[in-house]
Amino acid sequence: MESASETIRRIFGSKSGSLGSEMAEVTSRYEALNKVRFPKPRATRYIAVANQKGGVGKTTTTVNLAASLALAKQQVLVIDMDPQGNASTALGVKHNTGEPSVYDVLEARKSINEVKKTSATFPTMDVVPSSIDLSGAELEVADLSNRNDLLKESLEKFAKTSKKHYDYVIIDCPPSLGLLVINSMCAVNEVLIPIQAEYYALEGLGQLIQTIGLVQEHYNPALLVSTMLVTMFDKRTLLSKEVYDQVRAHYPDIVLKTTIPRSVKISEAPSFGKTVIEYDARGSGAVSYREAALEIARRSPQVLKTLEERKQRSN
């Protein structure tokens, strides 16, 4: 019996660069992913997805990597730290003003356990939603002595009391370099940076790395930039390849081999309250995010080893 990819090639043709060839390639990758077992990390990985530049696919990356990991039976907790609440929308979680959210956690009115909600689609994913109420939090907590550690303290308390062990805690940061981002970076030990495959993205990257360096110096010395993911990659253009090659040349050990293509389906999915993993499971966007998640999972032993070494040096 012929496979789905072979059927596509037979119907649409197999000439390199043809529609049939591209469809067959994506189908073949999809089928391969369904046969792969994602390794679980030996300890929880705490990851902030950050980039102060908007429009680079930060929230899209957060929700689709989380969904990919949850689909692979990993236990995932997503924390939406962006007042816009786009991650909450994409994950189908209510986040209207007044709803229990991460804002209540930062203000110490509620615990993470009280505000988290389990995804209706992915039973191994829990979500701590955000709301527009969070936009006032930076001013409200600015005078607190522990203002940079509010999320960290809540997360540590939750981890000690939670009956569930999470393989990944992923925080979606707002597109800024303010107190909410610092809180996120103090609560994790890894940063994942999505980088749009455009020239201006390279200029903003230097500023972000500098900010992370300041957080490392003053608040969280064990913080590690563990992953960079090139998004909105257009294989038809030379620019996309040049941006990828430049980032890879500067950060060879942390840039994922997987790139995320430009895709209408990726952009459409949130308007239906879905990730692209649900909305267009067999499409190139979903397959690419699942491949990126697999690459991240397979890097866990080396990342955790590096984190232990950094922690020992900082003590």
Side-chain angles (χ1 to χ4, degrees):
M1 183 182 294
E2 67 181 7
S3 66
S5 57
E6 289 170 335
T7 303
I8 290 170
R9 285 195 181 94
R10 177 168 55 78
I11 295 173
F12 293 98
S14 58
K15 184 178 178 182
S16 178
S18 68
L19 175 63
S21 176
E22 290 182 13
M23 289 173 64
E25 182 212 1
V26 172
T27 300
S28 178
R29 288 159 56 199
Y30 173 81
E31 291 171 346
L33 279 165
N34 289 338
K35 297 174 184 176
V36 173
R37 181 178 176 275
F38 280 51
K40 282 181 174 282
R42 56 182 170 79
T44 304
R45 292 182 63 181
Y46 294 85
I47 305 171
V49 181
N51 195 323
Q52 85 282 3
K53 188 178 184 299
V56 300
K58 177 186 55 59
T59 297
T60 301
T61 292
T62 300
V63 299
N64 286 300
L65 286 179
S68 297
L69 291 165
L71 183 66
K73 310 302 181 187
Q74 310 283 306
Q75 295 287 346
V76 184
L77 176 67
V78 178
I79 301 177
D80 188 354
M81 281 289 281
D82 189 340
Q84 296 178 80
N86 292 336
S88 304
T89 299
L91 294 172
V93 176
K94 285 185 179 179
H95 60 102
N96 300 326
T97 184
E99 290 269 350
S101 70
V102 72
Y103 174 59
D104 298 293
V105 173
L106 295 180
E107 297 273 340
R109 284 187 294 270
K110 291 183 181 294
S111 67
I112 288 177
N113 192 56
E114 290 175 302
V115 303
K116 71 179 178 66
K117 299 175 183 178
T118 301
S119 164
T121 307
F122 303 102
T124 62
M125 183 199 295
D126 291 332
V127 182
V128 177
S130 177
S131 73
I132 195 64
D133 299 331
L134 185 60
S135 58
E138 288 192 271
L139 290 175
E140 292 170 17
V141 303
D143 293 331
L144 297 178
S145 59
N146 64 335
R147 60 185 175 277
N148 297 320
D149 295 320
L150 296 172
L151 182 61
K152 177 185 177 181
E153 291 169 2
S154 296
L155 197 50
E156 286 178 345
K157 189 180 298 183
F158 172 68
K160 288 177 182 176
T161 58
S162 175
K163 295 178 181 178
K164 183 187 292 187
H165 169 78
Y166 291 95
D167 299 301
Y168 296 87
V169 174
I170 304 176
I171 301 176
D172 183 41
C173 299
S176 68
L177 297 174
L179 190 57
L180 294 177
V181 174
I182 292 175
N183 254 267
S184 300
M185 289 188 184
C186 287
V188 302
N189 43 36
E190 297 180 51
V191 179
L192 184 155
I193 304 175
I195 304 168
Q196 188 178 359
E198 291 187 0
Y199 174 73
Y200 289 119
L202 295 175
E203 289 188 335
L205 180 59
Q207 186 181 358
L208 178 60
I209 294 294
Q210 186 177 7
T211 300
I212 293 171
L214 291 172
V215 173
Q216 290 169 327
E217 183 180 351
H218 297 289
Y219 309 119
N220 188 0
L223 187 64
L224 173 72
V225 179
S226 64
T227 312
M228 290 185 181
L229 175 62
V230 175
T231 63
M232 303 181 194
F233 186 88
D234 189 342
K235 64 182 180 181
R236 299 169 299 178
T237 67
L238 183 61
L239 178 61
S240 283
K241 186 178 184 304
E242 287 178 346
V243 170
Y244 178 83
D245 289 344
Q246 282 190 50
V247 176
R248 182 99 181 166
H250 282 91
Y251 307 100
D253 298 327
I254 60 176
V255 178
L256 297 184
K257 293 178 182 177
T258 306
T259 58
I260 307 302
R262 283 192 175 276
S263 164
V264 173
K265 296 293 185 182
I266 291 177
S267 302
E268 284 179 352
S271 64
F272 293 90
K274 294 181 178 181
T275 64
V276 77
I277 309 303
E278 310 157 69
Y279 181 67
D280 185 37
R282 292 175 175 268
S284 61
V287 169
S288 295
Y289 268 116
R290 287 179 66 190
E291 288 172 337
L294 178 59
E295 200 174 340
I296 288 169
R298 285 176 168 170
R299 288 184 174 199
S300 291
Q302 182 57 50
V303 170
L304 291 171
K305 181 183 176 183
T306 303
L307 285 169
E308 286 177 358
E309 291 170 351
R310 289 178 70 93
K311 190 173 182 179
Q312 288 171 3
R313 287 198 300 267
S314 64
N315 288 339

